[in-house]
Amino acid sequence: MGGGFDIIASLQFMLLLFYVNFAACIAEERAIYLVLMEGDPVAFHRRSSPGENGRRLELNSEVSEAHAKHLVDSHDQLLQNTLESGSYNKLYSFKHILNGFAVHTTPSQARRLEDASGVRLVERDRGAKLMTTYTPQFLDLPEVWAQEGGDKSAGEGIVIGFVDTGINPCHPSFAYDPMKLFTSNISHFSGACEAGPQFPAGSCNGKIVSARFFSAGAQAVATLNTSVDFLSPFDAVGHGSHVASTAAGNTGVSVLVNGFLYGQASGMAPRAQIAVYKAVYPTVGTLTDVVSAIDQATKDGVDIITLSVGPDEPPEDKFTFLNVFDIVMLSAQRAGVFVVQAAGNNGPGPSTVLSYSPWAVGVAASSTDRTYPGSLLLGNGQNVGGVGLSGPTLGDGLFLYKLVLAKDAVKINGTFPRTPQYIEECQFPEALDRNVVLGSVIICTFSDGFYNGTSTLTAIVDTARTLGIMGFILVANPTYGDFIAEPIPFAVPGIMIPSVADAKVISQYYEQKIERDGRGFVTKFGARAAIGDGRVSSFKGQAPIVSRFSARGPDFIDRDKNPADILKPDILAPGHQVWAAWSPISALEPTLKGYNFALLSGTSMATPHIAGIAALIKQYNPLWTPSMIASAISTTANKYDINGEHIMAEGSDNLYPSTPFDFGAGHVNPIRALDPGLVLSSGYDDYISFLCSLPNMDPAIVKNSTGEMCNHSLCHPANLNLPSVTISSLAGALLLRRTVKNVGLKPETYLCSVMPPNGTLINLNPPWFTIAPQGTQDLDIQINVTKAMNSWSFGEIVLTGSLNHIVRITLSVLFQYPHEN
């Protein structure tokens, strides 16, 4: 009997041990961790910050190479001494502007690293996502180019680094013309051309001066698809090519899609040169690959880094400013690189912005005044507006064609599932009777498949081609409401009707003209329709308008979204319906497969506009630091649209007057940004002082994140010398200071005025000043509360110069109520 109990006890113990081991296996799934170490990286080893005095880094010297090797060896030694053998795989050593590494390991091993000597910070990789012709004219860039020798030299001598999905080197936007030699010296830049699948060695042609790819993170967390996840700088997605050509694509490139010429495309800085850092793949994107790319781009010597990629959520347990992504951007800015970042596409709700830090310029997206209006002509003479980049049905409206609702053309005896995709969304040609739909215009209905993302416009086009359908209409469904329709090229005549009200007009006409039998089957199709040409652009209406998807402020310091004393987004730029280069593989967007150009919307599209404009400013003012460029862009921005009205913003259902939390300082004005009169600048030490002054900030957290001691704090976080003033908790009175520098060639006298936010009284001292070239002037800003408001209030300081310079400093104030003390 006792032996039986022993057996049972042994079995129970074995089962318990199995359960513990099984649970451990489940819990111990590997992930990527980014680790920052004590000690300076190569760029800042025994030297001052180049970004503050205009000097370039010299990271290829023997001393630098020796220190880089020392850092790599120290990373390897730490891992060997701390982690269990076989429990990890080191992916990268960061050594140029960060001292640290990325490692693929288990949570328990990562905890060991947190406790290891010499380790400052360990952060789990949050992943990286994409933030997804006419704009040069809309921004008056030809006038800017004229000041720099025309479009044949605009941006020359500037290298823009693109951390993205790669580039399509065969695209005409990136072609090198041997008859138009680059004459400027880019000796400050030293890159490499990493050949691979779809990217032969000759792809770096002079326009593309360097191309690298970073895949260790992607390969660690996913099985890559060799048919699209090319281990080379080649862009199988299209996003990276779109971004690069928007900023620095050649001028005068014909945008030809489906045989139709949509116009000529040009980058903002068409003679800037391109350095490619592929870090996001069709299958996956990791923050590790992005950080490694930024580290390398800075070492290579790029002037500007463009980030239309990044984490799509705030860090879980850290201050927003102190996650590894923001720290590497701080290090790049410290090294003299202008960093521009997409604000995110999670608008229009408040505090959806994904650009947090004052050292990176966060870009919001707007529309231009160009639209592509489509039209549907019904047999009763009614015209219904819609969207679709396609040619007209045969006859261009002279001939009307039989109108057929997809449900009324479904095969009665078909063996397919009776789901919306088959019976109303036109996804499967085998579900429809060819004899009914041949030569007709078919009505497909937005239903469950489109709502959940399983149905596609490509499938509708394929159905139309297979069955000989003349054209298609995709109409809104009352069950799902209106949908957002962006102009997409269709190889057959097609139009989207995103409004339920317009769809009802079509439905009522259709039902009036058909005859049905007792079973509900159509016996006579009497409705007729023709699809108009949707490819012809129209230029009218309000513009710019802040796009619905564009992420909004206020900025925040943590995951609880406590507000920060920083204005975000920083600036507004065109990001809605932008034509630019594309990759025909189009791995993530089958609708655009086979095309060399795409019309896209997103803050991803707005960001390269600012990158290209920054290149023009840097070319015109080569000694300016990144913060000086950012100031010039901000203080000269427009707060009014092309009609002289206040810029509006798209909400969930309507337009509303925008605020700085929608558009930052306003819509970019490149002409004025070249010659702003005054600039407000900040350096690396200022940013550290800002971090140390944040409410409830533990100096140890700043030390662990940046490696810097809190030897000096600002008296208030809003005292950081930014071209805006944002106060997240104003009680009683507050004295702030801004310091301006005259970057003009002549002395100038400025008159200081203010439009105070509601509930405040603001005094400026001095009320006026005269400032010499390269001189500086302090401006004291005394803010007093006269009536506490229950929401943010906005205003601006305006410095009007005697030589026609106008400098605007945006004011944003949130009041602190007594019960909050």
Side-chain angles (χ1 to χ4, degrees):
M1 191 74 174
F5 280 120
D6 289 342
I7 293 171
I8 292 172
S10 296
L11 286 172
Q12 288 175 331
F13 176 76
M14 290 174 66
L15 286 171
L16 178 62
L17 187 63
F18 172 79
Y19 173 77
V20 170
N21 287 334
F22 178 75
C25 290
I26 294 294
E28 287 292 282
E29 182 178 352
R30 288 193 180 197
I32 298 176
Y33 295 88
L34 298 110
V35 181
L36 298 185
M37 301 285 293
E38 293 178 357
D40 288 332
V42 173
F44 315 120
H45 182 57
R46 298 176 182 171
R47 66 177 75 213
S48 62
S49 297
E52 296 175 27
N53 56 30
R55 293 189 294 108
R56 301 296 309 193
L57 298 177
E58 296 177 4
L59 299 182
N60 296 311
S61 67
E62 289 186 9
V63 173
S64 294
E65 294 291 346
H67 186 59
K69 184 178 184 305
H70 165 71
L71 293 179
V72 174
D73 291 344
S74 70
H75 302 161
D76 294 339
Q77 193 67 41
L78 175 78
L79 287 167
Q80 292 169 16
N81 294 341
T82 307
L83 304 188
E84 298 172 4
S85 178
S87 68
Y88 69 90
N89 178 28
K90 191 186 83 168
L91 305 178
Y92 296 106
S93 273
F94 310 128
K95 51 192 181 292
H96 306 306
I97 57 172
L98 291 179
N99 176 14
F101 56 86
V103 62
H104 191 225
T105 190
T106 61
S108 61
Q109 297 297 301
R111 285 191 292 273
R112 285 192 178 192
L113 285 172
E114 289 177 341
D115 298 331
S117 176
V119 171
R120 296 192 341 240
L121 178 67
V122 177
E123 181 181 313
R124 185 175 176 133
D125 191 311
R126 289 176 285 146
K129 300 290 179 66
L130 307 176
M131 306 293 174
T132 287
T133 63
Y134 158 68
T135 44
Q137 284 72 33
F138 183 74
L139 294 172
D140 290 328
L141 279 175
E143 187 174 335
V144 177
W145 295 341
Q147 298 183 42
E148 300 183 350
D151 58 19
K152 294 179 176 59
S153 60
E156 189 160 325
I158 306 299
V159 179
I160 306 179
F162 298 91
V163 179
D164 215 290
T165 62
I167 199 165
N168 174 11
C170 300
H171 199 281
S173 290
F174 314 121
Y176 175 67
D177 185 349
M179 302 301 292
K180 300 176 182 177
L181 298 176
F182 288 97
T183 57
S184 296
N185 185 357
I186 58 165
S187 59
H188 65 275
F189 180 82
S190 177
C193 195
E194 298 177 356
Q198 304 291 322
F199 204 88
S203 298
C204 296
N205 56 7
K207 175 65 175 177
I208 301 172
V209 292
S210 179
R212 302 179 186 267
F213 69 98
F214 301 81
S215 62
Q219 290 180 287
V221 299
T223 300
L224 299 186
N225 180 349
T226 56
S227 66
V228 291
D229 294 313
F230 301 114
L231 296 183
S232 78
F234 181 77
D235 180 14
V237 175
H239 187 273
S241 302
H242 199 283
V243 169
S245 66
T246 300
N250 291 326
T251 188
V253 177
S254 296
V255 180
L256 194 65
V257 178
N258 289 330
F260 186 83
L261 181 64
Y262 285 90
Q264 305 292 315
S266 173
M268 302 295 101
R271 289 291 284 177
Q273 289 163 287
I274 293 168
V276 179
Y277 300 88
K278 179 178 175 178
V280 178
Y281 293 79
T283 296
V284 70
T286 67
L287 186 56
T288 292
D289 290 332
V290 171
V291 169
S292 186
I294 296 171
D295 189 45
Q296 184 64 53
T298 307
K299 193 252 185 188
D300 287 346
V302 300
D303 297 286
I304 296 163
I305 289 178
T306 307
L307 294 167
S308 287
V309 302
D312 63 351
E313 60 181 5
E316 291 183 6
D317 56 354
K318 293 179 175 63
F319 286 94
T320 51
F321 308 125
L322 294 177
N323 68 89
V324 173
F325 186 50
D326 281 69
I327 292 168
V328 74
M329 289 190 287
L330 172 60
S331 297
Q333 205 265 13
R334 181 186 183 189
V337 179
F338 180 84
V339 181
V340 59
Q341 176 188 19
N345 294 339
N346 296 324
S351 290
T352 49
V353 69
L354 295 173
S355 174
Y356 314 114
S357 298
W359 46 82
V361 174
V363 187
S366 70
S367 64
T368 69
D369 59 346
R370 183 194 61 198
T371 60
Y372 289 96
S375 63
L376 177 71
L377 176 62
L378 301 177
N380 61 3
Q382 284 184 288
N383 260 303
V384 181
V387 179
L389 296 177
S390 81
T393 47
L394 186 63
D396 197 9
L398 290 176
F399 309 126
L400 299 179
Y401 298 88
K402 180 173 67 173
L403 194 59
V404 178
L405 182 66
K407 282 183 178 180
D408 292 331
V410 172
K411 293 177 181 176
I412 298 174
N413 299 319
T415 58
F416 45 83
R418 301 287 158 161
T419 61
Q421 290 92 331
Y422 282 86
I423 63 174
E424 57 183 345
E425 291 188 331
C426 308
Q427 297 295 292
F428 299 96
E430 61 268 28
L432 302 176
D433 188 335
R434 180 183 177 88
N435 294 326
V436 175
V437 300
L438 181 65
S440 71
V441 173
I442 191 168
I443 303 172
C444 312
T445 304
F446 184 104
S447 193
D448 183 65
F450 279 105
Y451 185 76
N452 63 35
T454 57
S455 293
T456 68
L457 289 163
T458 302
I460 296 180
V461 171
D462 290 342
T463 295
R465 282 175 152 173
T466 300
L467 299 178
I469 295 171
M470 177 59 66
F472 71 87
I473 311 167
L474 178 64
V475 298
N477 185 335
T479 303
Y480 298 96
D482 296 351
F483 65 89
I484 298 173
E486 293 289 344
I488 296 173
F490 299 134
V492 300
I495 187 171
M496 294 178 282
I497 309 294
S499 160
V500 170
D502 289 337
K504 186 177 180 181
V505 170
I506 299 169
S507 175
Q508 288 176 340
Y509 164 71
Y510 177 79
E511 291 297 333
Q512 289 171 1
K513 294 295 182 179
I514 61 170
E515 296 178 6
R516 299 183 184 273
D517 62 18
R519 299 173 299 168
F521 296 134
V522 176
T523 57
K524 181 181 178 181
F525 291 94
R528 298 290 184 268
I531 296 171
D533 196 330
R535 303 168 300 184
V536 180
S537 55
S538 173
F539 300 88
K540 60 182 180 181
Q542 287 179 284
I545 294 173
V546 182
S547 300
R548 179 185 289 105
F549 57 78
S550 188
R552 308 306 211 259
D555 193 11
F556 50 95
I557 63 174
D558 53 32
R559 201 173 183 89
D560 293 332
K561 298 198 172 180
N562 291 306
D565 297 290
I566 299 293
L567 177 61
K568 290 289 176 176
D570 293 272
I571 196 71
L572 183 67
H576 186 236
Q577 297 181 13
V578 176
W579 278 115
W582 195 245
S583 174
I585 293 177
S586 193
L588 298 181
E589 184 49 74
T591 306
L592 299 174
K593 192 175 183 67
Y595 295 132
N596 283 311
F597 294 90
L599 187 71
L600 299 185
S601 298
T603 53
S604 278
M605 285 65 250
T607 301
H609 282 84
I610 298 301
I613 291 167
L616 299 176
I617 296 172
K618 181 73 172 177
Q619 180 189 18
Y620 195 70
N621 304 283
L623 297 181
W624 283 14
T625 64
S627 65
M628 293 169 74
I629 296 172
S631 172
I633 289 172
S634 293
T635 61
T636 59
N638 297 326
K639 291 181 170 62
Y640 298 92
D641 65 20
I642 58 175
N643 298 320
E645 303 292 333
H646 188 86
I647 292 174
M648 302 294 284
E650 289 182 336
S652 297
D653 300 310
N654 55 7
L655 294 179
Y656 63 88
S658 59
T659 74
F661 293 157
D662 301 307
F663 59 50
H667 193 268
V668 64
N669 184 330
I671 298 172
R672 292 184 56 211
L674 284 180
D675 179 23
L678 304 174
V679 295
L680 300 89
S681 64
S682 301
Y684 177 73
D685 291 342
D686 300 315
Y687 296 130
I688 298 300
S689 298
F690 160 76
L691 293 171
C692 295
S693 69
L694 293 174
N696 304 315
M697 175 59 74
D698 183 349
I701 294 177
V702 176
K703 176 69 165 62
N704 290 339
S705 300
T706 67
E708 305 290 348
M709 301 290 291
C710 280
N711 296 322
H712 174 69
S713 295
L714 304 176
C715 62
H716 190 282
N719 249 332
L720 182 61
N721 198 46
L722 297 176
S724 60
V725 174
T726 305
I727 306 170
S728 62
S729 183
L730 179 63
L734 182 64
L735 177 63
L736 299 176
R737 173 171 289 179
R738 288 294 183 267
T739 301
V740 298
K741 179 178 182 178
N742 183 2
V743 291
L745 300 177
K746 299 178 180 179
E748 190 164 4
T749 299
Y750 283 87
L751 179 66
C752 308
S753 61
V754 63
M755 290 185 286
N758 289 337
T760 67
L761 176 66
I762 297 180
N763 291 310
L764 303 176
N765 187 41
W768 63 272
F769 58 87
T770 299
I771 185 169
Q774 302 305 306
T776 60
Q777 172 69 50
D778 291 338
L779 180 67
D780 289 335
I781 307 167
Q782 177 67 51
I783 307 174
N784 295 284
V785 176
T786 57
K787 180 181 180 182
M789 314 295 288
N790 60 5
S791 61
W792 286 87
S793 295
F794 305 98
E796 68 176 350
I797 293 169
V798 182
L799 309 179
T800 305
S802 56
L803 300 179
N804 297 322
H805 292 113
I806 299 176
V807 178
R808 298 181 184 276
I809 300 173
T810 300
L811 302 173
S812 308
V813 173
L814 181 63
F815 300 90
Q816 182 187 63
Y817 282 86
H819 69 267
E820 295 177 2
N821 291 329

